[in-house]
Amino acid sequence: MQTSAGTEEKKKNTAGQWTLIAISAAFVVVMLVLPLASVLMNALKEGWDFYIKALFTSKVRSAFRVTMIATAFSVAVNTFFGLAAAWLLTKFSFRGKQVLSTVIDIPFSISPVIAGLAFLMTFGRLGWASHWVDAFNAYFGTNVKIVFAVPGVVLATIFVTFPFVSRELIPVLNAEGKDEEEAAALMGAGGWKIFRSVTFPHIRWALLYGVILCTARALGEFGAVNALAKTRGQTFTLPLEIDALYLSGSAKSITASFAVSSLLVIMAVAVLIVKNVLEYRAQRQRNTENEG
C-alpha cells in the first residue's frame, strides 16, 4: 500500500512539474520569443542590402557611438561607486546607514523620465548648477554643455544604472562577514591587501554580474536620455534613433527602425550569454568550495 501511495504521489508531482514547465514555456514564447522574432523578421523585410545600409547610416553610427560612450562611462563610474557603497554599507556602522541604503535604490523606484527632467532642471538654462557650468566655461575658455549634449546623456544613464553593481555586491559581502578580514588585519595586512587577497576573490563573480546588468540597462535606456538629448545625429542613443525612425512614418523608415532594433537585440543576447557563462562558472566555483 505504501509503495502504491508513493507511486501515486510521484505521479502527482510529475504532473505538477510538467504543468509548470508548460505554463513557463508558453509565457516565454508569447511574451519574449515571438516579439523578438518579429523584430528580426521585420528587420529583414526589405532584404540584406537594405538591412546593412540601415545599420550604417550616419545617424545610426552616431547613435551607436553615443550609446557606447554613455554605457562605458556608466559602467566605469557605477562599478567604482557601487563597490565603494557596498563596502561602506556592509563593513561599517554609522548613523544614517539605512537612509543611504534607501537612497541608493531611488533609481529603481523613480521613473527615468523624472530623472531626465531633474537633470534638465539642474543643469538647464534656469537650473541652479548652470551658473557653475558658465563659470567653468568662462574661466577655462571652453564651451561645455550638459543639457542637450552628450554629457547630459551620460549623467542620465549613470543615474538610472547606479544601483545594479551595489545591489549585487551587498548580499555577498553580508554573507561573507568580517572574520577573514579582521584576521588578516590582526596579522598586519593593509586595507588594499585585505581587499585584493581576501575580499575580492569572494565578490568577483557578483561584481562581474552587476557590471553586466549595468551594461544591459545602459544600452537600452530611453526615458531619462530622451529628456536630455534632442539633436538627432549628435546626441541620440540607439533607442532614441529607433523611436525617431519608427515615428518618421514611411514604410522604409519603419523597416530601418526594426533593423536598428535588431542590433540592440543582438547586443542584449550577447550580454545574456556572458551573464549565463559567469553564473555557470560562479556556481561551479561554489560547488568546488563546498566539496573542499
Side-chain angles (χ1 to χ4, degrees):
M1 292 294 290
Q2 288 181 351
T3 302
S4 177
T7 304
E8 191 66 27
E9 184 67 23
K10 188 175 181 180
K11 286 182 178 178
K12 288 181 179 178
N13 290 338
T14 303
Q17 179 182 350
W18 281 108
T19 301
L20 291 174
I21 290 174
I23 292 173
S24 301
F27 183 83
V28 168
V29 169
V30 172
M31 298 301 295
L32 298 177
V33 176
L34 290 180
L36 293 180
S38 174
V39 169
L40 297 177
M41 290 173 62
N42 281 286
L44 296 171
K45 189 177 178 181
E46 299 285 342
W48 276 104
D49 289 341
F50 181 87
Y51 178 81
I52 298 299
K53 286 180 181 177
L55 293 182
F56 286 94
T57 63
S58 60
K59 290 176 180 174
V60 173
R61 283 189 279 113
S62 171
F64 181 81
R65 180 180 62 83
V66 175
T67 302
M68 290 299 103
I69 291 173
T71 301
F73 273 100
S74 300
V75 170
V77 171
N78 288 332
T79 299
F80 178 78
F81 286 103
L83 187 58
W87 181 276
L88 177 66
L89 289 172
T90 55
K91 303 299 179 183
F92 299 93
S93 297
F94 56 93
R95 183 176 295 178
K97 180 176 177 179
Q98 192 58 41
V99 175
L100 177 61
S101 178
T102 303
V103 169
I104 289 175
D105 287 338
I106 284 180
F108 280 146
S109 58
I110 197 170
S111 167
V113 176
I114 296 174
L117 291 175
F119 279 106
L120 183 63
M121 296 307 296
T122 301
F123 295 102
R125 190 165 55 88
L126 301 178
W128 59 267
S130 64
H131 304 295
W132 294 1
V133 178
D134 294 338
F136 180 88
N137 287 329
Y139 186 82
F140 290 101
T142 57
N143 187 29
V144 174
K145 294 181 180 177
I146 304 296
V147 173
F148 306 141
V150 173
V153 175
V154 172
L155 286 177
T157 310
I158 289 173
F159 178 89
V160 298
T161 57
F162 178 72
F164 288 94
V165 173
S166 59
R167 282 304 163 198
E168 287 299 321
L169 291 176
I170 287 173
V172 178
L173 286 170
N174 277 328
E176 178 195 359
K178 303 178 183 177
D179 295 345
E180 294 183 30
E181 291 159 346
E182 289 176 349
L186 289 174
M187 295 172 69
W192 170 245
K193 187 171 184 180
I194 292 174
F195 173 78
R196 182 166 50 85
S197 304
V198 179
T199 307
F200 186 72
H202 291 294
I203 66 171
R204 57 181 175 178
W205 296 115
L207 178 62
L208 285 172
Y209 190 64
V211 167
I212 288 172
L213 290 179
C214 181
T215 302
R217 183 70 178 85
L219 289 173
E221 172 51 29
F222 179 86
V225 298
N226 188 39
L228 295 163
K230 296 298 182 186
T231 309
R232 191 179 174 192
Q234 294 183 19
T235 60
F236 269 27
T237 58
L238 284 174
L240 296 182
E241 180 62 23
I242 292 167
D243 185 60
L245 285 168
Y246 191 82
L247 293 179
S248 294
S250 70
K252 288 199 173 182
S253 67
I254 291 175
T255 304
S257 73
F258 282 111
V260 182
S261 299
S262 72
L263 180 61
L264 275 181
V265 171
I266 292 169
M267 293 165 70
V269 170
V271 170
L272 286 176
I273 290 173
V274 174
K275 166 182 160 294
N276 281 291
V277 169
L278 290 176
E279 282 183 334
Y280 170 75
R281 294 191 63 176
Q283 184 61 45
R284 192 172 64 174
Q285 184 186 33
R286 283 194 292 269
N287 293 338
T288 303
E289 290 174 352
N290 292 334
E291 290 171 1

